[in-house]
Amino acid sequence: MAEAPASITSSEARETPAGRRGRWALFGGLAGAVVLLDQLTKVWVDGAFALASRGIPAGEPGGPTELVGDLLRIAKTYNDGAIFGFLESSAMLMAALSVLVIIGIVWY
């Protein structure tokens, strides 16, 4: 017995090219806003805070700066490796891998 063809009811099947362009524009706008906000906060932290050490308590010179008591603190540090300092001094390798992953996600 032959199966009846599935009816096309998904939103992708009914979407127009203009609708797809709108979704890509929204994606690009949100991605751009996230990158801009990220860079602005990095400039703010770099200019407004001194380097901090994890071993020094908050509020002490050289320690994290309390913004909202113990709830929110800023500790300015630099990391040229991967997450949590793994693979120290591998910033270029991590950047290249990140670009490849982003390309893969966009392509998918």
Side-chain angles (χ1 to χ4, degrees):
M1 179 183 220
E3 197 171 301
S7 63
I8 300 174
T9 59
S10 70
S11 62
E12 287 104 17
R14 291 180 281 150
E15 189 173 34
T16 64
R20 282 191 290 274
R21 281 193 302 273
R23 285 192 316 163
W24 277 107
L26 177 62
F27 171 76
L30 287 173
V34 167
V35 169
L36 181 64
L37 183 62
D38 175 64
Q39 293 304 307
L40 289 174
T41 56
K42 286 178 182 177
V43 167
W44 171 65
V45 168
D46 199 41
F49 298 95
L51 283 173
S53 174
R54 289 188 303 178
I56 300 174
E60 298 287 324
T65 303
E66 293 180 344
L67 296 179
V68 182
D70 283 337
L71 185 64
L72 181 62
R73 291 180 267 181
I74 296 263
K76 177 181 162 182
T77 61
Y78 294 100
N79 178 15
D80 63 350
I83 189 168
F84 304 120
F86 180 70
L87 296 174
E88 190 174 335
S89 298
S90 61
M92 291 306 294
L93 173 65
M94 293 297 115
L97 289 174
S98 297
V99 168
L100 288 175
V101 168
I102 290 169
I103 289 170
I105 290 170
V106 170
W107 178 77
Y108 177 75

